[in-house]
């Protein structure tokens, strides 16, 4: 193998740049030429490739986002789109591809691998919902952004004896909400894996109020049935149910744009190096992730379409700590 390519796909995650840098520099160290693909799978279809030298990936590790650009590409979901991508890769003599992305992106890499093209995925999403890796690139930074917001909201909540609802991203996975809830000392955590009714949230806040706390903090995962909007609607219709007056903050994409934490830069560097090693060792159709602090590969076929289950013991911890 002489030439490989790397792309970032789906929602950007802090640390993607560090992963690109690691793929490029490990690839060059292994005697390969490395090409970057712009705008994810869309760039494969339009043949938007750029040769990357070591210096081209200098000074990017500390930046959030992805300097290659990312996209969600409908055309790549068709066989024709993927065939065009393979034709373009072959015409550039690119023999293998590294895909840095989350669940949807790795479904794309699996589909490409099934058509016989060598692909290795790198686990990268702020949702941390991918099987095959204990943590994914970006989630640590996203939790820290949520935490900073929570810490600040707690200050103003205490000053005004208010309750705050903070909604965090994560799709159908409650990992970010649960971790930010525990680390931020939330009184209530609402996640898709353990739904609470608005009445239950109100009861828990009321109990907090009755215990004499001067603030109430509810961390809500965006994927919960009773997300921040639903809860606010309920509390507006039932004023006084919680004891506190309520405000809501929806963090949204703010969580994606931060400078990557040390932990995300390290993870991205190790996974990027691991992906090139896997390709050089002749592996393909695998996801590179981290388990028990070891870089491991898992067949893409075993991870696509699945969501990593949450450790529900953490939910029990959150509840005990909220007392
Ligand atoms: O998958 C990452 C993520 O940030 C989710 O947490 C969120 O639901 C989604 O992407 C938002 O997608 P978009 O950037 O397309 O609005």
């Amino acid at each position: 193998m002489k030439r490989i390519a790397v792309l970032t796909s789906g929602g950007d995650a802090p640390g993607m740049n560090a992963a690109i840098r690691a793929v490029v520099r490990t690839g060059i160290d292994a005697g390969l030429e490395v090409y970057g693909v712009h705008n994810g799978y869309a760039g494969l279809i339009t043949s938007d490739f750029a040769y990357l030298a070591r210096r081209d990936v200098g000074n990017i590790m500390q930046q959030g986002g992805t300097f290659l650009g990312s996209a969600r590409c409908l055309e790549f979901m068709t066989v024709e789109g993927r065939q065009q991508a393979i034709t373009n890769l072959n015409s550039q003599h690119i023999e293998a591809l590294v895909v840095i992305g989350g669940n949807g992106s790795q479904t794309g890499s699996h589909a490409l691998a099934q058509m016989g093209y060598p692909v290795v995925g790198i686990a990268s999403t702020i949702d941390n919902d991918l099987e095959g890796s204990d943590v994914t690139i970006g989630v640590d930074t996203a939790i820290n952004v949520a935490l900073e917001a929570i810490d600040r909201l707690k200050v103003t909540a205490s000053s005004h004896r208010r309750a705050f609802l903070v909604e965090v991203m994560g799709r159908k996975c409650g990992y970010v909400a649960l971790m930010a809830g525990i680390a931020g000392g939330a009184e209530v955590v609402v996640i898709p894996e353990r739904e609470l009714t608005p009445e239950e949230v109100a009861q828990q806040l009321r109990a907090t109020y009755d215990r004499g706390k001067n603030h109430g903090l509810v961390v809500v995962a965006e994927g919960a049935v009773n997300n921040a909007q639903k809860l606010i609607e309920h509390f507006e219709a039932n004023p006084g149910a919680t004891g506190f007056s309520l405000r809501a903050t929806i963090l949204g994409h703010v969580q994606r744009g931060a400078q990557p934490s040390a932990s995300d830069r390290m993870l991205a560097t190790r996974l990027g190096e691991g992906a090139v090693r896997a390709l050089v060792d002749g592996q393909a159709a695998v996801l590179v992730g981290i388990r028990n602090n070891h870089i491991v590969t898992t067949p893409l076929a075993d991870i696509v379409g699945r969501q990593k289950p949450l450790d529900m013991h953490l939910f029990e911890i959150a509840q005990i700590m909220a007392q």
Side-chain angles (χ1 to χ4, degrees), residues 65-88:
T66 158
F67 91 107
L68 286 176
S70 189
R72 305 192 196 277
C73 177
L74 289 178
E75 207 181 336
F76 193 76
M77 292 180 184
T78 65
V79 176
E80 295 73 26
R82 292 195 293 277
Q83 193 53 61
Q84 183 63 53
I86 292 173
T87 304
N88 293 342

mmCIF file of all heavy atoms in Angstrom, residues 65-88:
data_model
loop_
_atom_site.group_PDB
_atom_site.id
_atom_site.type_symbol
_atom_site.label_atom_id
_atom_site.label_comp_id
_atom_site.label_asym_id
_atom_site.label_seq_id
_atom_site.Cartn_x
_atom_site.Cartn_y
_atom_site.Cartn_z
ATOM 1 N N GLY A 65 -13.556 21.716 15.720
ATOM 2 C CA GLY A 65 -14.001 21.541 14.334
ATOM 3 C C GLY A 65 -13.091 20.597 13.574
ATOM 4 O O GLY A 65 -12.357 19.795 14.156
ATOM 5 N N THR A 66 -13.165 20.689 12.249
ATOM 6 C CA THR A 66 -12.311 19.864 11.390
ATOM 7 C C THR A 66 -11.863 20.703 10.203
ATOM 8 O O THR A 66 -12.719 21.239 9.482
ATOM 9 C CB THR A 66 -13.011 18.583 10.890
ATOM 10 O OG1 THR A 66 -12.344 18.116 9.709
ATOM 11 C CG2 THR A 66 -14.489 18.786 10.570
ATOM 12 N N PHE A 67 -10.572 20.821 10.019
ATOM 13 C CA PHE A 67 -10.106 21.711 8.942
ATOM 14 C C PHE A 67 -10.389 21.116 7.562
ATOM 15 O O PHE A 67 -10.375 21.842 6.558
ATOM 16 C CB PHE A 67 -8.619 22.077 9.123
ATOM 17 C CG PHE A 67 -7.649 21.166 8.440
ATOM 18 C CD1 PHE A 67 -6.967 21.589 7.303
ATOM 19 C CD2 PHE A 67 -7.413 19.895 8.902
ATOM 20 C CE1 PHE A 67 -6.080 20.751 6.645
ATOM 21 C CE2 PHE A 67 -6.523 19.041 8.271
ATOM 22 C CZ PHE A 67 -5.857 19.466 7.138
ATOM 23 N N LEU A 68 -10.706 19.824 7.511
ATOM 24 C CA LEU A 68 -11.062 19.216 6.216
ATOM 25 C C LEU A 68 -12.524 19.502 5.854
ATOM 26 O O LEU A 68 -12.930 19.322 4.712
ATOM 27 C CB LEU A 68 -10.849 17.700 6.265
ATOM 28 C CG LEU A 68 -9.409 17.205 6.227
ATOM 29 C CD1 LEU A 68 -9.377 15.686 6.375
ATOM 30 C CD2 LEU A 68 -8.715 17.628 4.927
ATOM 31 N N GLY A 69 -13.299 19.928 6.846
ATOM 32 C CA GLY A 69 -14.733 20.115 6.615
ATOM 33 C C GLY A 69 -15.481 18.802 6.802
ATOM 34 O O GLY A 69 -14.889 17.715 6.696
ATOM 35 N N SER A 70 -16.755 18.906 7.098
ATOM 36 C CA SER A 70 -17.565 17.702 7.296
ATOM 37 C C SER A 70 -18.937 17.928 6.688
ATOM 38 O O SER A 70 -19.307 19.063 6.388
ATOM 39 C CB SER A 70 -17.695 17.396 8.791
ATOM 40 O OG SER A 70 -18.289 16.139 8.969
ATOM 41 N N ALA A 71 -19.668 16.857 6.491
ATOM 42 C CA ALA A 71 -21.001 16.994 5.893
ATOM 43 C C ALA A 71 -21.793 15.730 6.168
ATOM 44 O O ALA A 71 -21.226 14.686 6.493
ATOM 45 C CB ALA A 71 -20.876 17.211 4.383
ATOM 46 N N ARG A 72 -23.101 15.862 6.065
ATOM 47 C CA ARG A 72 -23.945 14.661 6.039
ATOM 48 C C ARG A 72 -24.380 14.538 4.573
ATOM 49 O O ARG A 72 -24.941 15.471 4.013
ATOM 50 C CB ARG A 72 -25.144 14.820 6.962
ATOM 51 C CG ARG A 72 -24.743 15.171 8.418
ATOM 52 C CD ARG A 72 -25.915 15.030 9.366
ATOM 53 N NE ARG A 72 -25.692 15.700 10.640
ATOM 54 C CZ ARG A 72 -25.022 15.187 11.677
ATOM 55 N NH1 ARG A 72 -24.476 13.977 11.569
ATOM 56 N NH2 ARG A 72 -24.885 15.853 12.799
ATOM 57 N N CYS A 73 -24.064 13.395 3.940
ATOM 58 C CA CYS A 73 -24.196 13.287 2.481
ATOM 59 C C CYS A 73 -25.212 12.223 2.089
ATOM 60 O O CYS A 73 -24.960 11.017 2.247
ATOM 61 C CB CYS A 73 -22.810 12.963 1.892
ATOM 62 S SG CYS A 73 -22.824 12.723 0.119
ATOM 63 N N LEU A 74 -26.347 12.685 1.559
ATOM 64 C CA LEU A 74 -27.417 11.743 1.181
ATOM 65 C C LEU A 74 -27.017 10.866 0.003
ATOM 66 O O LEU A 74 -27.348 9.686 -0.063
ATOM 67 C CB LEU A 74 -28.696 12.526 0.840
ATOM 68 C CG LEU A 74 -29.409 13.179 2.028
ATOM 69 C CD1 LEU A 74 -30.629 13.958 1.565
ATOM 70 C CD2 LEU A 74 -29.805 12.114 3.062
ATOM 71 N N GLU A 75 -26.262 11.473 -0.943
ATOM 72 C CA GLU A 75 -25.892 10.734 -2.163
ATOM 73 C C GLU A 75 -25.052 9.502 -1.832
ATOM 74 O O GLU A 75 -25.130 8.472 -2.510
ATOM 75 C CB GLU A 75 -25.104 11.676 -3.096
ATOM 76 C CG GLU A 75 -25.223 11.301 -4.548
ATOM 77 C CD GLU A 75 -24.421 12.227 -5.446
ATOM 78 O OE1 GLU A 75 -24.153 13.385 -5.057
ATOM 79 O OE2 GLU A 75 -24.053 11.758 -6.540
ATOM 80 N N PHE A 76 -24.248 9.611 -0.767
ATOM 81 C CA PHE A 76 -23.383 8.484 -0.413
ATOM 82 C C PHE A 76 -24.196 7.294 0.097
ATOM 83 O O PHE A 76 -23.715 6.172 0.148
ATOM 84 C CB PHE A 76 -22.365 8.937 0.649
ATOM 85 C CG PHE A 76 -21.246 7.966 0.845
ATOM 86 C CD1 PHE A 76 -20.222 7.871 -0.087
ATOM 87 C CD2 PHE A 76 -21.212 7.128 1.950
ATOM 88 C CE1 PHE A 76 -19.190 6.952 0.082
ATOM 89 C CE2 PHE A 76 -20.182 6.218 2.125
ATOM 90 C CZ PHE A 76 -19.172 6.142 1.188
ATOM 91 N N MET A 77 -25.443 7.553 0.466
ATOM 92 C CA MET A 77 -26.291 6.457 0.954
ATOM 93 C C MET A 77 -26.780 5.590 -0.193
ATOM 94 O O MET A 77 -27.356 4.518 0.032
ATOM 95 C CB MET A 77 -27.488 7.021 1.726
ATOM 96 C CG MET A 77 -27.062 7.682 3.027
ATOM 97 S SD MET A 77 -28.501 8.307 3.881
ATOM 98 C CE MET A 77 -27.763 9.113 5.277
ATOM 99 N N THR A 78 -26.578 6.034 -1.433
ATOM 100 C CA THR A 78 -26.989 5.212 -2.575
ATOM 101 C C THR A 78 -25.789 4.407 -3.083
ATOM 102 O O THR A 78 -24.627 4.829 -2.942
ATOM 103 C CB THR A 78 -27.498 6.093 -3.738
ATOM 104 O OG1 THR A 78 -26.390 6.889 -4.224
ATOM 105 C CG2 THR A 78 -28.599 7.042 -3.283
ATOM 106 N N VAL A 79 -26.072 3.253 -3.669
ATOM 107 C CA VAL A 79 -25.007 2.401 -4.231
ATOM 108 C C VAL A 79 -24.249 3.171 -5.311
ATOM 109 O O VAL A 79 -23.012 3.110 -5.393
ATOM 110 C CB VAL A 79 -25.598 1.100 -4.823
ATOM 111 C CG1 VAL A 79 -24.522 0.260 -5.502
ATOM 112 C CG2 VAL A 79 -26.276 0.291 -3.744
ATOM 113 N N GLU A 80 -25.003 3.948 -6.107
ATOM 114 C CA GLU A 80 -24.369 4.709 -7.206
ATOM 115 C C GLU A 80 -23.383 5.727 -6.640
ATOM 116 O O GLU A 80 -22.287 5.912 -7.175
ATOM 117 C CB GLU A 80 -25.427 5.444 -8.049
ATOM 118 C CG GLU A 80 -26.388 4.548 -8.813
ATOM 119 C CD GLU A 80 -27.421 3.860 -7.926
ATOM 120 O OE1 GLU A 80 -27.740 4.406 -6.841
ATOM 121 O OE2 GLU A 80 -27.893 2.760 -8.300
ATOM 122 N N GLY A 81 -23.794 6.391 -5.560
ATOM 123 C CA GLY A 81 -22.923 7.386 -4.926
ATOM 124 C C GLY A 81 -21.639 6.741 -4.434
ATOM 125 O O GLY A 81 -20.535 7.268 -4.637
ATOM 126 N N ARG A 82 -21.781 5.599 -3.783
ATOM 127 C CA ARG A 82 -20.590 4.921 -3.241
ATOM 128 C C ARG A 82 -19.712 4.391 -4.370
ATOM 129 O O ARG A 82 -18.487 4.409 -4.298
ATOM 130 C CB ARG A 82 -21.000 3.790 -2.284
ATOM 131 C CG ARG A 82 -21.630 4.294 -1.013
ATOM 132 C CD ARG A 82 -21.693 3.225 0.045
ATOM 133 N NE ARG A 82 -22.600 2.142 -0.283
ATOM 134 C CZ ARG A 82 -23.916 2.166 -0.090
ATOM 135 N NH1 ARG A 82 -24.482 3.246 0.409
ATOM 136 N NH2 ARG A 82 -24.667 1.128 -0.399
ATOM 137 N N GLN A 83 -20.365 3.919 -5.461
ATOM 138 C CA GLN A 83 -19.591 3.431 -6.608
ATOM 139 C C GLN A 83 -18.766 4.566 -7.207
ATOM 140 O O GLN A 83 -17.590 4.389 -7.546
ATOM 141 C CB GLN A 83 -20.547 2.837 -7.652
ATOM 142 C CG GLN A 83 -19.846 2.027 -8.729
ATOM 143 C CD GLN A 83 -18.939 0.945 -8.141
ATOM 144 O OE1 GLN A 83 -19.405 0.056 -7.432
ATOM 145 N NE2 GLN A 83 -17.629 1.055 -8.399
ATOM 146 N N GLN A 84 -19.385 5.740 -7.287
ATOM 147 C CA GLN A 84 -18.662 6.916 -7.795
ATOM 148 C C GLN A 84 -17.464 7.236 -6.886
ATOM 149 O O GLN A 84 -16.367 7.553 -7.353
ATOM 150 C CB GLN A 84 -19.615 8.122 -7.847
ATOM 151 C CG GLN A 84 -18.999 9.386 -8.431
ATOM 152 C CD GLN A 84 -18.582 9.202 -9.889
ATOM 153 O OE1 GLN A 84 -19.381 8.779 -10.715
ATOM 154 N NE2 GLN A 84 -17.307 9.474 -10.187
ATOM 155 N N ALA A 85 -17.697 7.118 -5.581
ATOM 156 C CA ALA A 85 -16.617 7.385 -4.619
ATOM 157 C C ALA A 85 -15.447 6.421 -4.850
ATOM 158 O O ALA A 85 -14.281 6.841 -4.889
ATOM 159 C CB ALA A 85 -17.154 7.239 -3.196
ATOM 160 N N ILE A 86 -15.765 5.148 -5.027
ATOM 161 C CA ILE A 86 -14.705 4.149 -5.226
ATOM 162 C C ILE A 86 -13.963 4.421 -6.546
ATOM 163 O O ILE A 86 -12.732 4.348 -6.617
ATOM 164 C CB ILE A 86 -15.294 2.708 -5.190
ATOM 165 C CG1 ILE A 86 -15.780 2.391 -3.781
ATOM 166 C CG2 ILE A 86 -14.245 1.677 -5.636
ATOM 167 C CD1 ILE A 86 -16.532 1.075 -3.643
ATOM 168 N N THR A 87 -14.720 4.774 -7.580
ATOM 169 C CA THR A 87 -14.097 5.103 -8.875
ATOM 170 C C THR A 87 -13.112 6.254 -8.701
ATOM 171 O O THR A 87 -11.969 6.209 -9.200
ATOM 172 C CB THR A 87 -15.184 5.494 -9.907
ATOM 173 O OG1 THR A 87 -16.112 4.424 -9.995
ATOM 174 C CG2 THR A 87 -14.599 5.795 -11.277
ATOM 175 N N ASN A 88 -13.545 7.291 -7.958
ATOM 176 C CA ASN A 88 -12.674 8.454 -7.760
ATOM 177 C C ASN A 88 -11.432 8.102 -6.940
ATOM 178 O O ASN A 88 -10.327 8.571 -7.238
ATOM 179 C CB ASN A 88 -13.449 9.583 -7.072
ATOM 180 C CG ASN A 88 -14.541 10.156 -7.974
ATOM 181 O OD1 ASN A 88 -14.511 9.949 -9.186
ATOM 182 N ND2 ASN A 88 -15.504 10.844 -7.388
#
